[in-house]
Short mmCIF file of all heavy atoms in Angstrom, two decimals:
data_model
loop_
_atom_site.label_atom_id
_atom_site.label_comp_id
_atom_site.label_asym_id
_atom_site.label_seq_id
_atom_site.Cartn_x
_atom_site.Cartn_y
_atom_site.Cartn_z
N SER O 157 -8.41 -1.77 -16.54
CA SER O 157 -6.99 -1.23 -16.86
C SER O 157 -6.73 -1.20 -18.33
O SER O 157 -6.23 -0.23 -18.83
CB SER O 157 -5.94 -2.14 -16.13
OG SER O 157 -6.10 -2.15 -14.73
N HIS O 158 -7.11 -2.30 -18.96
CA HIS O 158 -6.81 -2.34 -20.44
C HIS O 158 -7.72 -1.31 -21.20
O HIS O 158 -7.24 -0.68 -22.08
CB HIS O 158 -7.10 -3.71 -20.93
CG HIS O 158 -6.42 -4.07 -22.25
ND1 HIS O 158 -4.98 -3.94 -22.35
CD2 HIS O 158 -6.84 -4.38 -23.48
CE1 HIS O 158 -4.71 -4.28 -23.70
NE2 HIS O 158 -5.77 -4.53 -24.26
N PHE O 159 -8.97 -1.14 -20.70
CA PHE O 159 -9.89 -0.18 -21.31
C PHE O 159 -9.27 1.20 -21.18
O PHE O 159 -9.26 2.03 -22.09
CB PHE O 159 -11.21 -0.16 -20.54
CG PHE O 159 -12.09 1.02 -20.79
CD1 PHE O 159 -12.70 1.27 -21.92
CD2 PHE O 159 -12.19 1.96 -19.73
CE1 PHE O 159 -13.50 2.43 -22.14
CE2 PHE O 159 -12.88 3.10 -19.92
CZ PHE O 159 -13.56 3.34 -21.11
N THR O 160 -8.69 1.52 -19.99
CA THR O 160 -8.14 2.78 -19.79
C THR O 160 -6.93 3.09 -20.71
O THR O 160 -6.81 4.23 -21.23
CB THR O 160 -7.74 3.01 -18.29
OG1 THR O 160 -8.78 2.55 -17.45
CG2 THR O 160 -7.33 4.48 -17.92
N ALA O 161 -6.14 2.09 -20.99
CA ALA O 161 -4.99 2.18 -21.89
C ALA O 161 -5.52 2.42 -23.29
O ALA O 161 -5.05 3.26 -24.03
CB ALA O 161 -4.21 0.96 -21.87
N GLY O 162 -6.59 1.67 -23.65
CA GLY O 162 -7.20 1.94 -25.01
C GLY O 162 -7.81 3.28 -25.12
O GLY O 162 -7.72 3.97 -26.24
N LEU O 163 -8.51 3.68 -24.04
CA LEU O 163 -9.08 5.05 -24.11
C LEU O 163 -8.07 6.17 -24.30
O LEU O 163 -8.25 7.11 -25.02
CB LEU O 163 -9.85 5.22 -22.77
CG LEU O 163 -10.74 6.43 -22.61
CD1 LEU O 163 -11.86 6.42 -23.62
CD2 LEU O 163 -11.27 6.62 -21.21
N ARG O 164 -7.00 6.05 -23.66
CA ARG O 164 -5.89 6.98 -23.69
C ARG O 164 -5.34 7.12 -25.13
O ARG O 164 -5.17 8.23 -25.58
CB ARG O 164 -4.73 6.62 -22.70
CG ARG O 164 -3.71 7.63 -22.71
CD ARG O 164 -2.53 7.25 -21.79
NE ARG O 164 -1.53 8.37 -21.84
CZ ARG O 164 -1.51 9.32 -21.00
NH1 ARG O 164 -2.39 9.50 -20.08
NH2 ARG O 164 -0.57 10.28 -21.10
N ALA O 165 -5.27 5.96 -25.76
CA ALA O 165 -4.82 5.98 -27.15
C ALA O 165 -5.82 6.65 -28.02
O ALA O 165 -5.38 7.39 -28.87
CB ALA O 165 -4.55 4.58 -27.58
N ASP O 166 -7.06 6.31 -27.88
CA ASP O 166 -8.15 6.92 -28.55
C ASP O 166 -8.20 8.36 -28.38
O ASP O 166 -8.63 9.17 -29.34
CB ASP O 166 -9.55 6.31 -28.17
CG ASP O 166 -9.88 5.13 -28.97
OD1 ASP O 166 -8.96 4.56 -29.64
OD2 ASP O 166 -11.06 4.64 -28.92
N LEU O 167 -7.90 8.89 -27.20
CA LEU O 167 -7.95 10.36 -26.96
C LEU O 167 -6.71 11.17 -27.28
O LEU O 167 -6.64 12.30 -27.07
CB LEU O 167 -8.29 10.59 -25.44
CG LEU O 167 -9.61 10.12 -24.96
CD1 LEU O 167 -9.71 10.07 -23.37
CD2 LEU O 167 -10.79 10.88 -25.56
N ARG O 168 -5.74 10.43 -27.81
CA ARG O 168 -4.46 11.10 -28.12
C ARG O 168 -4.69 12.34 -28.95
O ARG O 168 -5.50 12.31 -29.95
CB ARG O 168 -3.54 10.17 -28.87
CG ARG O 168 -2.17 10.81 -29.01
CD ARG O 168 -1.29 9.99 -30.01
NE ARG O 168 -0.85 8.79 -29.39
CZ ARG O 168 -0.01 7.91 -29.99
NH1 ARG O 168 0.34 8.19 -31.18
NH2 ARG O 168 0.36 6.84 -29.39
N GLY O 169 -4.13 13.46 -28.60
CA GLY O 169 -4.30 14.70 -29.39
C GLY O 169 -5.49 15.54 -28.96
O GLY O 169 -5.70 16.68 -29.31
N LEU O 170 -6.32 15.00 -28.06
CA LEU O 170 -7.46 15.70 -27.53
C LEU O 170 -7.18 16.18 -26.10
O LEU O 170 -6.42 15.57 -25.37
CB LEU O 170 -8.76 14.78 -27.54
CG LEU O 170 -9.24 14.37 -28.92
CD1 LEU O 170 -10.37 13.42 -28.81
CD2 LEU O 170 -9.60 15.57 -29.80
N PRO O 171 -7.88 17.18 -25.63
CA PRO O 171 -7.48 17.79 -24.34
C PRO O 171 -8.17 17.09 -23.12
O PRO O 171 -8.81 17.63 -22.25
CB PRO O 171 -8.17 19.21 -24.46
CG PRO O 171 -9.28 19.11 -25.41
CD PRO O 171 -8.91 17.96 -26.40
N ILE O 172 -8.05 15.75 -23.23
CA ILE O 172 -8.56 14.94 -22.07
C ILE O 172 -7.46 14.03 -21.52
O ILE O 172 -6.96 13.22 -22.36
CB ILE O 172 -9.84 14.08 -22.39
CG1 ILE O 172 -10.85 15.05 -22.99
CG2 ILE O 172 -10.21 13.28 -21.26
CD1 ILE O 172 -12.28 14.64 -22.81
N GLY O 173 -7.03 14.19 -20.33
CA GLY O 173 -6.06 13.27 -19.73
C GLY O 173 -6.75 12.04 -19.03
O GLY O 173 -7.88 12.07 -18.79
N THR O 174 -5.91 11.02 -18.98
CA THR O 174 -6.38 9.85 -18.24
C THR O 174 -5.30 9.37 -17.28
O THR O 174 -4.09 9.50 -17.56
CB THR O 174 -6.63 8.61 -19.21
OG1 THR O 174 -5.43 8.24 -19.77
CG2 THR O 174 -7.62 8.96 -20.31
N THR O 175 -5.75 8.93 -16.11
CA THR O 175 -4.86 8.38 -15.08
C THR O 175 -5.39 6.98 -14.74
O THR O 175 -6.58 6.83 -14.28
CB THR O 175 -4.80 9.21 -13.83
OG1 THR O 175 -4.28 10.53 -14.19
CG2 THR O 175 -3.86 8.64 -12.76
N LEU O 176 -4.60 5.98 -14.85
CA LEU O 176 -4.92 4.68 -14.38
C LEU O 176 -4.24 4.39 -13.06
O LEU O 176 -3.04 4.61 -12.91
CB LEU O 176 -4.44 3.55 -15.38
CG LEU O 176 -4.52 2.09 -14.92
CD1 LEU O 176 -6.05 1.70 -14.74
CD2 LEU O 176 -3.82 1.22 -15.96
N VAL O 177 -5.06 4.12 -12.06
CA VAL O 177 -4.58 3.83 -10.69
C VAL O 177 -4.58 2.39 -10.42
O VAL O 177 -5.56 1.65 -10.51
CB VAL O 177 -5.47 4.56 -9.63
CG1 VAL O 177 -4.94 4.35 -8.31
CG2 VAL O 177 -5.64 6.08 -10.00
N GLU O 178 -3.39 1.76 -10.10
CA GLU O 178 -3.29 0.36 -9.92
C GLU O 178 -2.81 0.17 -8.34
O GLU O 178 -1.68 0.48 -8.15
CB GLU O 178 -2.22 -0.24 -10.95
CG GLU O 178 -2.95 -0.30 -12.35
CD GLU O 178 -1.89 -0.47 -13.41
OE1 GLU O 178 -0.95 0.50 -13.51
OE2 GLU O 178 -1.93 -1.47 -14.08
N LEU O 179 -3.71 -0.38 -7.55
CA LEU O 179 -3.46 -0.46 -6.18
C LEU O 179 -3.29 -1.87 -5.59
O LEU O 179 -3.94 -2.80 -6.04
CB LEU O 179 -4.54 0.30 -5.40
CG LEU O 179 -4.89 1.65 -5.73
CD1 LEU O 179 -6.12 2.13 -4.97
CD2 LEU O 179 -3.63 2.49 -5.37
N GLY O 180 -2.32 -2.00 -4.68
CA GLY O 180 -2.29 -3.17 -3.81
C GLY O 180 -3.12 -2.93 -2.62
O GLY O 180 -4.05 -2.11 -2.71
N PRO O 181 -2.82 -3.48 -1.53
CA PRO O 181 -3.64 -3.40 -0.31
C PRO O 181 -3.67 -1.99 0.35
O PRO O 181 -2.58 -1.49 0.58
CB PRO O 181 -3.02 -4.45 0.70
CG PRO O 181 -1.63 -4.70 0.24
CD PRO O 181 -1.65 -4.45 -1.25
N VAL O 182 -4.85 -1.52 0.55
CA VAL O 182 -5.19 -0.24 1.12
C VAL O 182 -6.14 -0.51 2.25
O VAL O 182 -7.28 -0.98 1.97
CB VAL O 182 -5.78 0.76 0.09
CG1 VAL O 182 -6.03 2.12 0.81
CG2 VAL O 182 -4.84 1.03 -1.17
N PRO O 183 -5.76 -0.29 3.53
CA PRO O 183 -6.68 -0.66 4.61
C PRO O 183 -8.12 0.08 4.42
O PRO O 183 -8.19 1.33 4.59
CB PRO O 183 -5.94 -0.31 5.85
CG PRO O 183 -4.51 -0.39 5.40
CD PRO O 183 -4.50 0.09 3.94
N THR O 184 -9.12 -0.72 4.15
CA THR O 184 -10.52 -0.18 3.99
C THR O 184 -11.42 -1.28 4.15
O THR O 184 -10.95 -2.48 4.39
CB THR O 184 -10.81 0.35 2.54
OG1 THR O 184 -10.69 -0.73 1.70
CG2 THR O 184 -9.94 1.51 2.15
N ASP O 185 -12.69 -1.05 4.16
CA ASP O 185 -13.72 -2.21 4.35
C ASP O 185 -13.50 -3.27 3.27
O ASP O 185 -13.64 -4.46 3.57
CB ASP O 185 -15.16 -1.58 4.15
CG ASP O 185 -15.58 -0.63 5.20
OD1 ASP O 185 -14.85 -0.57 6.23
OD2 ASP O 185 -16.56 0.04 4.98
N LEU O 186 -13.15 -2.80 2.06
CA LEU O 186 -13.01 -3.83 1.04
C LEU O 186 -11.82 -4.79 1.25
O LEU O 186 -11.91 -5.99 1.08
CB LEU O 186 -12.65 -3.03 -0.37
CG LEU O 186 -12.65 -3.93 -1.58
CD1 LEU O 186 -13.16 -3.06 -2.78
CD2 LEU O 186 -11.12 -4.31 -1.95
N LEU O 187 -10.77 -4.23 1.85
CA LEU O 187 -9.54 -5.07 2.16
C LEU O 187 -9.93 -6.04 3.29
O LEU O 187 -9.68 -7.23 3.26
CB LEU O 187 -8.34 -4.34 2.54
CG LEU O 187 -7.11 -5.04 2.78
CD1 LEU O 187 -6.70 -5.94 1.56
CD2 LEU O 187 -5.89 -4.17 3.12
N ASP O 188 -10.73 -5.50 4.34
CA ASP O 188 -11.15 -6.36 5.38
C ASP O 188 -11.91 -7.55 4.93
O ASP O 188 -11.74 -8.70 5.38
CB ASP O 188 -12.00 -5.57 6.39
CG ASP O 188 -11.21 -4.68 7.29
OD1 ASP O 188 -9.96 -4.68 7.26
OD2 ASP O 188 -11.87 -3.67 7.83
N LYS O 189 -12.84 -7.20 3.98
CA LYS O 189 -13.72 -8.27 3.46
C LYS O 189 -12.92 -9.30 2.69
O LYS O 189 -13.16 -10.52 2.73
CB LYS O 189 -14.73 -7.65 2.51
CG LYS O 189 -16.19 -7.95 2.89
CD LYS O 189 -17.25 -7.23 2.06
CE LYS O 189 -16.67 -6.81 0.72
NZ LYS O 189 -17.49 -5.90 -0.08
N SER O 190 -11.97 -8.90 1.93
CA SER O 190 -11.13 -9.85 1.20
C SER O 190 -10.39 -10.81 2.14
O SER O 190 -10.24 -12.02 1.81
CB SER O 190 -10.05 -9.09 0.34
OG SER O 190 -10.63 -8.14 -0.43
N ASN O 191 -10.12 -10.36 3.31
CA ASN O 191 -9.45 -11.20 4.29
C ASN O 191 -10.42 -12.18 5.05
O ASN O 191 -9.96 -12.99 5.64
CB ASN O 191 -8.62 -10.31 5.28
CG ASN O 191 -7.27 -9.93 4.71
OD1 ASN O 191 -6.58 -10.66 4.20
ND2 ASN O 191 -7.03 -8.62 4.83
N ASP O 192 -11.64 -12.07 4.72
CA ASP O 192 -12.62 -12.92 5.33
C ASP O 192 -12.65 -14.32 4.63
O ASP O 192 -13.07 -15.37 5.25
CB ASP O 192 -14.04 -12.36 5.10
CG ASP O 192 -14.39 -11.24 6.21
OD1 ASP O 192 -13.54 -11.09 7.06
OD2 ASP O 192 -15.37 -10.59 5.92
N TYR O 193 -12.14 -14.36 3.49
CA TYR O 193 -12.07 -15.69 2.74
C TYR O 193 -10.61 -16.33 2.79
O TYR O 193 -9.75 -15.67 2.39
CB TYR O 193 -12.44 -15.46 1.22
CG TYR O 193 -12.53 -16.71 0.41
CD1 TYR O 193 -13.41 -17.69 0.69
CD2 TYR O 193 -11.68 -16.79 -0.63
CE1 TYR O 193 -13.51 -18.80 -0.20
CE2 TYR O 193 -11.67 -18.01 -1.53
CZ TYR O 193 -12.63 -19.01 -1.21
OH TYR O 193 -12.67 -20.16 -1.93
N GLY O 194 -10.57 -17.43 3.42
CA GLY O 194 -9.25 -18.05 3.85
C GLY O 194 -8.29 -18.01 2.69
O GLY O 194 -7.18 -17.52 2.88
N PRO O 195 -8.63 -18.59 1.49
CA PRO O 195 -7.51 -18.72 0.47
C PRO O 195 -6.98 -17.33 0.05
O PRO O 195 -5.79 -17.12 -0.17
CB PRO O 195 -8.20 -19.36 -0.69
CG PRO O 195 -9.32 -20.21 0.01
CD PRO O 195 -9.78 -19.40 1.27
N THR O 196 -7.96 -16.32 -0.01
CA THR O 196 -7.47 -14.95 -0.43
C THR O 196 -6.62 -14.40 0.65
O THR O 196 -5.47 -13.93 0.49
CB THR O 196 -8.71 -14.06 -0.59
OG1 THR O 196 -9.59 -14.66 -1.51
CG2 THR O 196 -8.29 -12.60 -1.07
N ALA O 197 -7.08 -14.54 1.94
CA ALA O 197 -6.19 -14.09 3.04
C ALA O 197 -4.79 -14.70 3.02
O ALA O 197 -3.78 -14.00 3.31
CB ALA O 197 -6.91 -14.36 4.43
N LYS O 198 -4.79 -15.99 2.89
CA LYS O 198 -3.50 -16.70 2.81
C LYS O 198 -2.56 -16.18 1.72
O LYS O 198 -1.38 -16.09 1.95
CB LYS O 198 -3.74 -18.25 2.73
CG LYS O 198 -4.24 -18.84 4.05
CD LYS O 198 -3.89 -20.43 4.01
CE LYS O 198 -4.20 -21.02 5.35
NZ LYS O 198 -5.68 -21.45 5.47
N SER O 199 -3.17 -15.95 0.61
CA SER O 199 -2.31 -15.51 -0.49
C SER O 199 -1.83 -14.12 -0.28
O SER O 199 -0.56 -13.82 -0.49
CB SER O 199 -3.14 -15.47 -1.83
OG SER O 199 -4.10 -14.47 -1.86
N PHE O 200 -2.60 -13.27 0.40
CA PHE O 200 -2.08 -11.91 0.80
C PHE O 200 -0.93 -12.07 1.79
O PHE O 200 0.04 -11.37 1.71
CB PHE O 200 -3.20 -11.04 1.38
CG PHE O 200 -4.18 -10.51 0.35
CD1 PHE O 200 -4.16 -10.87 -0.99
CD2 PHE O 200 -5.32 -9.74 0.75
CE1 PHE O 200 -5.02 -10.50 -1.93
CE2 PHE O 200 -6.23 -9.29 -0.18
CZ PHE O 200 -6.13 -9.64 -1.49
N GLN O 201 -1.14 -12.93 2.82
CA GLN O 201 -0.16 -13.07 3.84
C GLN O 201 1.17 -13.62 3.26
O GLN O 201 2.21 -13.11 3.69
CB GLN O 201 -0.57 -14.17 4.91
CG GLN O 201 -1.55 -13.65 5.91
CD GLN O 201 -2.51 -14.69 6.49
OE1 GLN O 201 -2.12 -15.92 6.49
NE2 GLN O 201 -3.61 -14.29 7.02
N ARG O 202 1.14 -14.46 2.18
CA ARG O 202 2.34 -14.94 1.52
C ARG O 202 3.03 -13.64 0.87
O ARG O 202 4.18 -13.51 0.95
CB ARG O 202 1.99 -16.00 0.51
CG ARG O 202 3.11 -16.36 -0.44
CD ARG O 202 4.08 -17.30 0.26
NE ARG O 202 3.48 -18.57 0.75
CZ ARG O 202 3.35 -19.69 0.07
NH1 ARG O 202 3.75 -19.72 -1.23
NH2 ARG O 202 2.87 -20.74 0.62
N PHE O 203 2.24 -12.78 0.22
CA PHE O 203 2.84 -11.69 -0.48
C PHE O 203 3.54 -10.74 0.50
O PHE O 203 4.57 -10.17 0.29
CB PHE O 203 1.71 -10.92 -1.26
CG PHE O 203 1.78 -11.29 -2.74
CD1 PHE O 203 1.66 -12.63 -3.14
CD2 PHE O 203 1.91 -10.37 -3.71
CE1 PHE O 203 1.74 -13.05 -4.54
CE2 PHE O 203 1.98 -10.66 -5.10
CZ PHE O 203 1.89 -12.00 -5.44
#
Side-chain angles (χ1 to χ4, degrees):
S157 298
H158 203 57
F159 162 74
T160 310
L163 187 66
R164 185 181 178 91
D166 271 11
L167 291 171
R168 188 191 287 182
L170 296 176
I172 301 210
T174 66
T175 300
L176 171 63
V177 182
E178 291 162 295
L179 300 176
V182 179
T184 63
D185 294 349
L186 185 146
L187 184 62
D188 285 349
K189 229 172 29 184
S190 304
N191 278 311
D192 286 348
Y193 182 65
T196 306
K198 283 203 173 84
S199 68
F200 287 0
Q201 282 155 19
R202 171 76 60 88
F203 262 56

